[in-house]
Every structure is written in structure tokens, then in C-alpha cells.
């Protein structure tokens, strides 16, 4: 657990204050503290690499970079309203406003993701405060809900029943060869999985919208996150007051939910391009580095790809160093690739469109494995 702990916490002195209350026991002298399936030499080299990047200052944020990120999403958000206010709600300004609103919302999502990982400010407190402003007040989602789910994903990516991003299996999709064959042999069929590569395009983003809306409210009430709930309600009141006077309630509902669908599509393709094509299985209790490398892949760097994905095209580096500011991923990428080459681990990187197509190829393969097991297993 040492590598995971170090990866998630930059301010070690702060978190050590809370560790004593979490102590539940110690290993007996005859119990090994190092699992036999963990690659000792890989971990040693990775820890040396982490020391190197700390000395290089790659965990220190560039405040001007993040200021520009924050500024540009505020400009996009303002533009979505100004276009409609100035030009009216005819088709062209309606569509232009929708594009601005969608782009602002997805870029807010990428920025609050940075804040959730405490990579924008050096002090966790400031990251948490600005994250509440961005995701709660500007996006209408609870910060506590996002952090709860996303930290689980990072701890065990692509591990079924431990990674909440895989909760769409098996109700909507059948993911990975192992899980698909198991589902087929059990004669379970919640959906026609052999066609999932075709209905993913429409259904995945469509299903994400009510999931986000309902699960966030349920989470806030169940956990008594009343401030989160109040701020989410405040967001909805704010957008209604901004847009309903310009276009009426019915037109605003079309504008808002179409924007949410576009944002959901953008989010689902970017978030899944690095994971669905990779190995999906039950937790094999691998070491931290192997767990991250086998569950992630990269997309080629370009100015557009960096912006479009919120730098999640560097998914390998992000998962190995989740608190690293995104503007430094490209600097550490060659060092991570050298580590992979040394230990015979494939460092996958591909063009953006190829990454999107690979989602569908992976779903098609999983669906075929399910069908074969369902019919003949």
C-alpha cells in the first residue's frame, strides 16, 4: 500500500496526523509484508523514478497555466449566454450557444478533476475549496460524490467490483473477455451484448445523464452532504434565471438537455478510450505500478488532444502520478516509457481516432465472447 499512499498524498505531514486513528492492527512477525506476485525490481525502479521527478520539480504546479485554464472556461461559459442575449434564439445562435455551453461544461469537468487530485495548488485545502466552486457551483455536481467514486477508480482501475467505472457491467454492457465469458456461461442476458458496439454510441452517454443526476442527489442525502446539495440546487436556479428569460422554459429544456447529452458523449468517449480497450478482470492483487500500467493506455500528444481530453491523453502518467500537474505529463512520459521498456511492459500510445475506434472493437470482441459462452458454454 506504500506506493498507492505516496501517489495520492503530496503533503505527507498533513495526512500523518490522521493515520493513528486509522490503525487497525499490525502484521504478525511470521506474516509477509510483500506479496509474492509483486515485482520487486519494478517497484524499486519506480520509486527511484518518483524521487527523480520530485527532484525535477514535476509535482509543482504552474499557477499561470491553471489561471489560463480557469479563465478560458469562464469565457466559454459567458459566451454561451452572451451569444443568445445579443443575437436572439434563432437556429444559428441557439446552436452556437449550445456549443459554447457544452465546451465550458466539459472543460470545467477536466479542471475540477485537476483540483480533485490536488494538482493545481500545493495546499490540499485550496484545491478542495476551488473544486467546490467549479464542480458544485459551475457544473451542478457534488465534489464529495466525484471524489468518492474517482479515488476508488484510481486505486483499482479496471478491477471489477472495485472500480466504480465498471458498474455498467453487466446491466448495459459486457466488459472484458473474462467477465463476458463468465456472464455467458451463467446464461445471463440483460442486453444483447453481441450488438453492444453498435448501441454504445447512443446508449452510453444517454444512460450517464440520469445516472449523474440521480446518483448525486442520492449520495448527498445519504451522506448528509447538505452544503453540496444546496450548491447543486443553487446551480440549477442560476442557469434557469440566466436562460429562461431569453428563450422560455420549454426551449431552455431542449437547449440544456441537448448540451448535457453532447457533454456526456464527449466525456464517455474520452474517459473510456484509455480503459475499455485494456485488460478488465477481477482484482489480481498486482503491485501498484503493474495495476496502473495494465489498465491504461495513452493517446498521442498534440495541442488539440491535450485540450480536448484535459490532458487525459497521458492516462498512464496520470495514473502513476495522480497528483502531478497535467502540464508536466509530457516531461515525465519518456521516463515512464523507459521504465516500461526495461521491464518488458508494453507502453501503449495511439492516435485519438484510433483510441475511439478501439472502444468499439473491444466491445465487439467482448460481445462475441459472451455470445459464444452463452450459446455453447
Amino acid at each position: 500500500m506504500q506506493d498507492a499512499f505516496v501517489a495520492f498524498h503530496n503533503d505527507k505531514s498533513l495526512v500523518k496526523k490522521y493515520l493513528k486513528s486509522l490503525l487497525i492492527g499490525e502484521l504478525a512477525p511470521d506474516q509477509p509484508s510483500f506479496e509474492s506476485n509483486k515485482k520487486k525490481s519494478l517497484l524499486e525502479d519506480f520509486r527511484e523514478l518518483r524521487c527523480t521527478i520530485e527532484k525535477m520539480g514535476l509535482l509543482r504546479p504552474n499557477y499561470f497555466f491553471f489561471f489560463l485554464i480557469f479563465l478560458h472556461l469562464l469565457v466559454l461559459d459567458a459566451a454561451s449566454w452572451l451569444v443568445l442575449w445579443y443575437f436572439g434564439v434563432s437556429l444559428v445562435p441557439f446552436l452556437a450557444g449550445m456549443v459554447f455551453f457544452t465546451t465550458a461544461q466539459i472543460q470545467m469537468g477536466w479542471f475540477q478533476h485537476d483540483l480533485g487530485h490536488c494538482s493545481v495548488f500545493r495546499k490540499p485545502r485550496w484545491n478542495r475549496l476551488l473544486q467546490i466552486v467549479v464542480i458544485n457551483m459551475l457544473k451542478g455536481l457534488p465534489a464529495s460524490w466525484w471524489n468518492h467514486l474517482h479515488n476508488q477508480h484510481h486505486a483499482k482501475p479496471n478491477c471489477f467490483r472495485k472500480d466504480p467505472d465498471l458498474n455498467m457491467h453487466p446491466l448495459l454492457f459486457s466488459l472484458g473477455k473474462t467477465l463476458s465469458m463468465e456472464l455467458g456461461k451463467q446464461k445471463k442476458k440483460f442486453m444483447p451484448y453481441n450488438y453492444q458496439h453498435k448501441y454504445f454510441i447512443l446508449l452510453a452517454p444517454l444512460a450517464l445523464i440520469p445516472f449523474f443526476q440521480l446518483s448525486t442527489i442520492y449520495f448527498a442525502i445519504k451522506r448528509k452532504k447538505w452544503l453540496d446539495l444546496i450548491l447543486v440546487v443553487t446551480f440549477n436556479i442560476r442557469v434557469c434565471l440566466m436562460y429562461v428569460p431569453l428563450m422560455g422554459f420549454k426551449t431552455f429544456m431542449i437547449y440544456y438537455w441537448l448540451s448535457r447529452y453532447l457533454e456526456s458523449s464527449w466525456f464517455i468517449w474520452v474517459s473510456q478510450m484509455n480503459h475499455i480497450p485494456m485488460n478488465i478482470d477481477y482484482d489480481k492483487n498486482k503491485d501498484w505500478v503493474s495495476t496502473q500500467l495494465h489498465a491504461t493506455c495513452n493517446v498521442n500528444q498534440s495541442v488539440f488532444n491535450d485540450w480536448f481530453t484535459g490532458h487525459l491523453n497521458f492516462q498512464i502518467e496520470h495514473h502513476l502520478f495522480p497528483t502531478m500537474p497535467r502540464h508536466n505529463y509530457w516531461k515525465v512520459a519518456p521516463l515512464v516509457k523507459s521504465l516500461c521498456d526495461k521491464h518488458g511492459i508494453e507502453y501503449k500510445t495511439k492516435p485519438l481516432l484510433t483510441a475511439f475506434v478501439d472502444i468499439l472493437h473491444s466491445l465487439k470482441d467482448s460481445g462475441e465472447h459472451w455470445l459464444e459462452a452463452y450459446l455453447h458454454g
Side-chain angles (χ1 to χ4, degrees):
M1 189 55 75
Q2 176 188 352
D3 296 293
F5 180 85
V6 171
F8 284 115
H9 303 100
N10 275 343
D11 192 342
K12 309 297 186 299
S13 60
L14 175 65
V15 294
K16 282 179 180 177
K17 296 178 181 178
Y18 302 92
L19 290 181
K20 287 186 178 180
S21 63
L22 300 175
L23 179 65
I24 59 174
E26 297 181 2
L27 287 173
D30 61 335
Q31 294 297 312
S33 60
F34 194 94
E35 288 87 343
S36 59
N37 64 338
K38 294 193 174 183
K39 300 177 180 178
K40 189 173 181 179
S41 61
L42 173 63
L43 291 180
E44 289 174 349
D45 287 344
F46 174 73
R47 289 164 188 166
E48 184 178 338
L49 171 60
R50 176 153 187 116
C51 290
T52 299
I53 69 166
E54 288 176 353
K55 291 176 182 176
M56 292 172 66
L58 297 183
L59 296 179
R60 289 198 294 269
N62 181 326
Y63 294 133
F64 183 66
F65 171 87
F66 286 114
F67 169 76
L68 292 179
I69 292 290
F70 189 44
L71 179 64
H72 108 284
L73 62 86
L74 291 178
V75 169
L76 288 166
D77 192 48
S80 66
W81 182 84
L82 287 170
V83 165
L84 294 165
W85 173 76
Y86 187 80
F87 293 103
V89 291
S90 58
L91 183 61
V92 173
F94 180 89
L95 294 176
M98 190 187 302
V99 169
F100 282 129
F101 186 81
T102 300
T103 306
Q105 287 294 305
I106 198 72
Q107 291 298 328
M108 289 174 191
W110 303 148
F111 184 53
Q112 74 81 25
H113 173 256
D114 297 322
L115 292 161
H117 282 293
C118 296
S119 63
V120 176
F121 298 102
R122 304 199 70 174
K123 292 294 183 181
R125 178 185 301 175
W126 295 111
N127 286 286
R128 298 302 182 206
L129 287 174
L130 187 54
Q131 186 190 24
I132 289 172
V133 171
V134 175
I135 190 171
N136 288 52
M137 300 176 67
L138 299 180
K139 275 193 66 62
L141 296 172
S144 57
W145 165 82
W146 172 270
N147 293 333
H148 173 71
L149 292 179
H150 196 62
N151 288 336
Q152 291 179 70
H153 162 69
H154 267 267
K156 292 289 183 178
N158 281 16
C159 293
F160 186 52
R161 296 202 178 101
K162 295 187 177 181
D163 181 357
D165 286 10
L166 300 182
N167 285 347
M168 54 185 151
H169 174 98
L171 293 179
L172 296 179
F173 304 99
S174 182
L175 303 174
K177 180 179 178 180
T178 301
L179 302 180
S180 297
M181 292 180 67
E182 179 184 86
L183 205 62
K185 289 176 181 178
Q186 294 171 353
K187 306 302 179 186
K188 290 185 178 180
K189 181 183 180 182
F190 296 97
M191 295 287 285
Y193 303 119
N194 48 312
Y195 296 109
Q196 63 182 0
H197 57 292
K198 295 181 179 179
Y199 64 72
F200 174 87
I201 298 171
L202 177 67
L203 186 59
L206 197 62
L208 198 66
I209 297 172
F211 169 75
F212 271 23
Q213 300 298 321
L214 297 175
S215 66
T216 53
I217 295 172
Y218 174 77
F219 178 89
I221 294 174
K222 182 182 178 181
R223 305 239 172 176
K224 299 181 180 179
K225 301 290 185 178
W226 306 124
L227 176 61
D228 276 345
L229 195 59
I230 290 169
L231 292 177
V232 168
V233 171
T234 302
F235 163 82
N236 286 283
I237 293 172
R238 177 180 68 83
V239 292
C240 284
L241 291 175
M242 286 176 64
Y243 290 96
V244 171
L246 296 179
M247 59 179 68
F249 184 75
K250 290 183 179 179
T251 306
F252 170 64
M253 285 291 97
I254 296 171
Y255 176 91
Y256 181 79
W257 292 114
L258 276 177
S259 297
R260 285 302 192 204
Y261 180 77
L262 293 174
E263 179 196 358
S264 181
S265 298
W266 191 335
F267 173 80
I268 203 81
W269 284 93
V270 169
S271 64
Q272 297 309 309
M273 69 184 184
N274 308 105
H275 293 300
I276 282 184
M278 303 302 288
N279 183 59
I280 298 174
D281 205 339
Y282 293 99
D283 184 13
K284 300 299 183 183
N285 196 30
K286 296 177 181 176
D287 59 80
W288 165 259
V289 182
S290 298
T291 297
Q292 306 306 318
L293 290 173
H294 292 155
T296 54
C297 63
N298 278 5
V299 167
N300 295 346
Q301 183 190 22
S302 71
V303 173
F304 175 79
N305 287 356
D306 292 352
W307 173 83
F308 185 80
T309 67
H311 284 83
L312 294 181
N313 49 328
F314 288 98
Q315 192 74 204
I316 295 173
E317 288 71 28
H318 172 58
H319 266 258
L320 289 175
F321 310 103
T323 61
M324 178 179 287
R326 60 159 114 161
H327 52 75
N328 285 334
Y329 291 155
W330 69 274
K331 296 177 182 178
V332 77
L335 302 178
V336 173
K337 189 175 186 305
S338 295
L339 178 73
C340 292
D341 290 342
K342 179 179 178 180
H343 292 274
I345 300 173
E346 185 178 8
Y347 181 95
K348 286 189 177 181
T349 184
K350 59 187 77 169
L352 182 64
L353 293 181
T354 300
F356 290 162
V357 172
D358 281 351
I359 296 176
L360 303 181
H361 285 162
S362 177
L363 290 171
K364 186 173 186 293
D365 289 342
S366 298
E368 289 173 351
H369 286 303
W370 167 82
L371 184 62
E372 178 66 22
Y374 187 84
L375 296 176
H376 308 294

